[in-house]
């Protein structure tokens, strides 16, 4: 049996757990751990320039890989700087383990230098938290943390580590725990067979059914089973913003995503449906709009691994607690060779859906004429063409996020990476870095805006140090676009503090960090600039595209309306 200090146990455990990268920023309470990481070569530490960036890097990696991202920060301000990233992961059910240095255990509660009760601070925004009480507990606690973070409904786990727990002078027996037992934590596996049978009966008898698939399909690795079910019964599929890519968007059964800025046909189909099969969704308010008017004709089947999510917002007529992949596969087994009971009605339903599609075909936006300011939509479509729809697409938050979700088409899971629940500006750049670091042979594209990018632009220094060549497409409208849109609609265009004045010269800024920037003003310049930007996967390029600041994101749901109540343009509404 090997004798190791608490700090060396952490480094060894991370290696044994298969962790390749840990993202963090050093400080006094974490220095024993940093020294242990320095003395080994298997786990690589990425030094960010702000702790929030460390959490977003870990988050981006976790979304792309399905594995927990790992963060290391020091006590006090180091830990509190990570809070926004922890909340971002919590809202979107992303697996993450955050190791926080803490003051010595004898000083806890004494208002010691850089002391913060990070367990208390983060309690509402973590799946679980631990505080190390003895160095010998470290391997078991870390194993529990990784298991809890990645099983059931995933989420962030905080591990608080007082400095004396990692002292190099104290050594204890270390062995890597192969298994973990938690009496009070038993995430659901298989769903109830009887409930699944009820769901199958409803699916095969419905006249206007839709599948509504969320992020739980992606984290639960259930995309293949979902696709099989949709093909077997010829069902329309709508994904939530988090579920984009769970079902191929080039499939004719795909209706896109619903809600605040969802597609016309997806919102209309959900409103008119008589049955909604919700899989791994939480029926967020950005989808439902006014819950009292949500899907008024539909019965709801709700599959979720988290029992607390079922009937939390929308009443489930058939609740099924279980892992998405397991439940969907059992549904497929029960279906056997069964066909819809009313195939003629289903044909009528598809005719209606196709009619909604035809209504909006060619009316989504008006491309810019030569010499006019570019429309952000056409920039996203151009990026889709040049990457053949095969990039990891990361966004910040705002109009550019919605345009990217609407106009970049995704046919695989884990390729759309965006802060959906918390809506964190500044998320995109470090998240893209975390993905590119682990997937160096793939195109990783960040769609951002000048507001979001300035929140984390210091991470250009991290990219320089570690050679992280992401592609950055800045849809520059010189304003906080989504705020400005709401001000146009609700505040008679009183643009209170939504203009981004005194913007930097992005070309000079990017060049100061040693990278290349290209500026685009007109449609004629766009294709050549994209060719140059995406010529190599090994070079960070910042593409500063000046777009029409007057452009709005449509459709847009009317607040407190039903799903079918939408603004379709500045002059049209349903």
């Amino acid at each position: 049996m090997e004798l190791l200090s608490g700090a060396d146990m952490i480094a060894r455990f991370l290696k044994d757990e298969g962790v390749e990268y840990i993202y963090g920023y050093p400080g006094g309470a974490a220095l024993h751990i940093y020294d242990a990481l320095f003395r080994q070569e298997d786990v690589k530490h990425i030094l960010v320039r702000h702790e929030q960036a460390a959490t977003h890097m870990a988050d981006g990696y976790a979304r792309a890989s399905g594995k927990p991202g790992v963060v290391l920060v020091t006590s006090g301000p180091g830990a509190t700087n990570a809070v926004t990233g922890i909340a971002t992961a919590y809202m979107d059910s992303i697996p993450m383990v955050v190791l926080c240095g803490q003051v010595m255990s004898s000083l806890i509660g004494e208002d010691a230098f850089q002391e913060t009760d990070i367990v208390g601070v983060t309690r509402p925004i973590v799946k679980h938290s631990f505080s190390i009480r003895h160095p010998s507990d470290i391997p078991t606690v870390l194993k529990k943390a990784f298991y809890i973070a990645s099983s059931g409904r995933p989420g962030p786990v905080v591990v608080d580590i007082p400095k004396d727990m990692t002292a190099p002078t104290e050594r204890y027996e270390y062995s890597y725990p192969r298994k973990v037992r938690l009496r009070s934590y038993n995430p659901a596996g298989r769903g109830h067979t009887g409930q699944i049978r009820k769901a199958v009966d409803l699916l095969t008898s419905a006249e206007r059914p839709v599948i509504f698939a969320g992020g739980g399909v992606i984290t639960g690795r259930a995309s293949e089973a979902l696709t099989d079910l949709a093909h077997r019964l010829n069902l329309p599929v709508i994904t939530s913003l988090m579920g984009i890519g769970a079902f191929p968007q080039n499939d004719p059964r795909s209706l896109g995503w619903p809600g605040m800025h969802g597609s016309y046909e997806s919102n209309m189909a959900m409103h008119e449906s008589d049955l909604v099969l919700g899989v791994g969704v939480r029926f967020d308010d950005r989808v439902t709009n006014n819950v009292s008017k949500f899907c008024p004709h539909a019965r709801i089947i709700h599959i979720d691994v988290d029992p607390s999510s079922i009937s939390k917002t929308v009443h489930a007529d058939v609740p099924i607690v279980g892992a998405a992949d397991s439940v969907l596969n059992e549904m497929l087994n029960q279906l056997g060779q069964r066909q819809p009971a009313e195939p003629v009605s289903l044909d009528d339903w598809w005719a209606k859906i196709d009619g909604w599609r035809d209504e909006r075909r060619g009316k989504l936006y008006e491309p810019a004429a030569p010499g006019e300011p570019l429309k952000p939509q056409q920039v996203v479509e151009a990026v889709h063409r040049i990457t053949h729809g095969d990039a990891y697409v990361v966004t910040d938050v705002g109009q550019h996020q919605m345009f990217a979700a609407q106009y970049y088409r995704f046919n695989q899971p884990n390729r759309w990476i965006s802060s959906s629940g918390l809506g964190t500006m500044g998320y995109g750049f470090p998240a893209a870095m975390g993905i590119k670091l682990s997937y160096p042979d793939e195109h990783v594209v960040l769609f951002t805006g000048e507001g979001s990018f300035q929140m984390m632009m210091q991470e250009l220094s991290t990219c320089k140090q570690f050679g992280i060549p992401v592609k950055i497409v800045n849809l520059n409208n010189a304003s906080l676009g989504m705020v400005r849109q709401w001000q146009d609609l609700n505040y008679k265009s009183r643009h209170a503090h939504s203009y981004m004045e005194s913007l930097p010269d992005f070309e000079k800024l990017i060049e100061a960090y040693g990278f290349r920037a290209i500026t685009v003003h007109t449609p004629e310049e766009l294709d050549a600039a994209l060719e140059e930007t995406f010529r190599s996967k090994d070079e960070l390029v910042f593409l500063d595209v000046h777009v029409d600041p007057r452009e709005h994101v449509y459709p847009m749901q009317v607040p407190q309306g039903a799903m079918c109540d939408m603004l379709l343009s500045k002059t049209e509404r349903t």
Side-chain angles (χ1 to χ4, degrees):
M1 192 71 70
E2 198 170 6
L3 296 178
L4 296 176
S5 70
D8 286 323
M9 284 185 186
I10 292 170
R12 179 65 61 83
F13 176 88
L14 294 175
K15 173 193 171 183
D16 292 344
E17 188 68 15
V19 173
E20 185 177 5
Y21 292 106
I22 184 170
Y23 318 93
Y25 201 96
L31 283 185
H32 293 328
I33 305 172
Y34 271 89
D35 188 62
L37 289 171
F38 184 83
R39 290 183 281 102
Q40 56 84 55
E41 297 180 351
D42 297 291
V43 181
K44 303 173 186 68
H45 179 273
I46 304 300
L47 175 65
V48 296
R49 274 45 177 176
H50 190 289
E51 290 88 350
Q52 182 178 335
T55 55
H56 293 331
M57 284 190 78
D59 179 303
Y61 163 78
R63 293 184 199 231
S65 69
K67 302 174 184 176
V70 188
V71 176
L72 174 59
V73 295
T74 194
S75 63
T80 57
N81 277 349
V83 167
T84 298
I86 294 169
T88 301
Y90 178 77
M91 288 290 284
D92 287 347
S93 304
I94 305 302
M96 183 187 297
V97 175
V98 183
L99 309 178
C100 296
Q102 182 56 279
V103 300
M104 294 181 65
S105 53
S106 60
L107 296 176
I108 291 175
E110 299 293 326
D111 292 333
F113 176 67
Q114 291 193 333
E115 180 192 357
T116 299
D117 177 12
I118 196 60
V119 170
V121 167
T122 60
R123 185 166 282 120
I125 53 169
V126 295
K127 187 175 178 183
H128 196 65
S129 53
F130 294 94
S131 186
I132 302 296
R133 300 301 183 194
H134 193 276
S136 62
D137 296 335
I138 287 173
T140 301
V141 168
L142 291 183
K143 189 66 177 178
K144 289 177 180 178
F146 275 79
Y147 174 64
I148 291 171
S150 56
S151 59
R153 179 179 180 176
V157 175
V158 163
V159 183
D160 192 42
I161 310 171
K163 188 171 184 179
D164 50 318
M165 299 295 106
T166 58
T169 54
E170 297 181 23
R171 297 173 181 270
Y172 299 89
E173 291 184 353
Y174 170 83
S175 63
Y176 174 71
R178 297 287 171 186
K179 295 182 179 179
V180 66
R181 287 191 183 131
L182 293 165
R183 286 184 300 174
S184 58
Y185 176 67
N186 296 293
R190 298 184 60 221
H192 188 279
T193 300
Q195 292 294 89
I196 294 173
R197 187 177 299 115
K198 288 180 186 177
V200 169
D201 289 341
L202 285 177
L203 269 179
T204 54
S205 61
E207 296 183 358
R208 302 185 306 280
V210 296
I211 295 177
F212 179 34
V217 175
I218 295 174
T219 57
R221 295 176 170 84
S223 295
E224 186 177 338
L226 176 82
T227 303
D228 286 350
L229 181 66
H231 286 184
R232 181 85 65 88
L233 294 178
N234 193 29
L235 300 177
V237 179
I238 296 166
T239 65
S240 71
L241 194 65
M242 279 292 296
I244 288 176
F247 185 79
Q249 290 189 320
N250 65 357
D251 191 302
R253 297 168 187 81
S254 172
L255 306 190
W257 50 280
M260 176 66 74
H261 295 293
S263 71
Y264 175 73
E265 57 265 34
S266 67
N267 280 336
M268 293 301 294
M270 284 193 74
H271 183 75
E272 294 288 340
S273 66
D274 65 355
L275 181 71
V276 175
L277 171 60
V279 189
V281 290
R282 56 189 182 89
F283 294 98
D284 179 78
D285 63 287
R286 295 289 289 227
V287 169
T288 62
N289 206 356
N290 188 332
V291 175
S292 66
K293 300 177 182 178
F294 176 72
C295 297
H297 317 292
R299 302 187 71 180
I300 308 292
I301 304 167
H302 192 177
I303 302 168
D304 205 289
V305 74
D306 179 10
S308 70
S309 291
I310 295 179
S311 292
K312 181 178 180 180
T313 304
V314 173
H315 172 72
D317 297 285
V318 182
I320 304 174
V321 179
D325 187 51
S326 171
V327 173
L328 290 176
N329 276 303
E330 185 166 347
M331 289 179 76
L332 286 164
N333 289 335
Q334 288 197 22
L335 271 171
Q337 299 302 314
R338 290 171 66 177
Q339 298 297 321
E342 301 290 342
V344 174
S345 297
L346 205 55
D347 288 343
D348 292 342
W349 180 225
W350 273 113
K352 198 165 193 177
I353 291 170
D354 289 337
W356 289 321
R357 283 171 164 164
D358 290 340
E359 279 182 53
R360 300 304 301 161
R361 206 180 305 276
K363 298 181 181 179
L364 297 179
Y365 74 96
E366 189 69 35
E372 291 183 349
L374 277 152
K375 295 297 175 70
Q377 301 94 318
Q378 68 189 111
V379 178
V380 176
E381 288 183 325
V383 172
H384 181 272
R385 285 195 301 272
I386 201 162
T387 59
H388 308 290
D390 196 34
Y392 286 91
V393 173
V394 190
T395 78
D396 274 300
V397 171
Q399 284 184 325
H400 65 268
Q401 177 189 30
M402 298 295 100
F403 287 132
Q406 288 177 336
Y407 292 96
Y408 197 102
R409 310 294 287 174
F410 295 87
N411 296 318
Q412 301 176 61
N414 306 99
R415 294 289 180 131
W416 161 256
I417 313 291
S418 191
S419 170
S420 300
L422 196 64
T424 306
M425 292 178 67
Y427 167 82
F429 185 27
M433 292 161 58
I435 297 167
K436 184 64 178 178
L437 200 61
S438 292
Y439 297 92
D441 297 328
E442 302 286 345
H443 275 310
V444 179
V445 183
L446 167 66
F447 285 104
T448 187
E450 66 285 346
S452 288
F453 185 72
Q454 288 185 96
M455 290 190 174
M456 282 283 138
M457 65 185 183
Q458 77 281 345
E459 297 308 318
L460 287 164
S461 178
T462 305
C463 289
K464 185 68 175 175
Q465 180 176 348
F466 294 97
I468 309 175
V470 300
K471 306 298 183 185
I472 304 166
V473 180
N474 183 38
L475 298 181
N476 189 340
N477 59 11
S479 64
L480 300 175
M482 192 59 81
V483 174
R484 195 172 184 273
Q485 177 169 334
W486 278 82
Q487 289 171 335
D488 284 340
L489 295 171
N490 300 316
Y491 300 92
K492 298 181 179 178
S493 294
R494 294 189 295 273
H495 298 138
H497 300 284
S498 55
Y499 279 106
M500 297 297 290
E501 299 180 14
S502 303
L503 285 172
D505 181 327
F506 281 111
E507 282 202 27
K508 290 180 179 178
L509 174 71
I510 302 304
E511 288 168 3
Y513 280 98
F515 298 116
R516 194 151 62 102
I518 303 170
T519 303
V520 174
H521 290 280
T522 65
E524 297 89 332
E525 301 170 327
L526 181 60
D527 286 346
L530 286 173
E531 288 284 349
E532 189 67 20
T533 300
F534 288 94
R535 190 181 307 280
S536 168
K537 294 178 181 177
D538 302 323
E539 180 186 14
L540 187 151
V541 181
F542 185 96
L543 187 62
D544 187 26
V545 187
H546 291 251
V547 298
D548 188 345
R550 300 163 298 177
E551 193 69 8
H552 287 182
V553 183
Y554 293 109
M556 181 178 183
Q557 283 182 336
V558 176
Q560 294 305 306
M563 291 193 74
C564 63
D565 296 325
M566 291 172 276
L567 302 174
L568 301 177
S569 72
K570 291 180 181 180
T571 57
E572 298 176 89
R573 64 173 290 170
T574 53

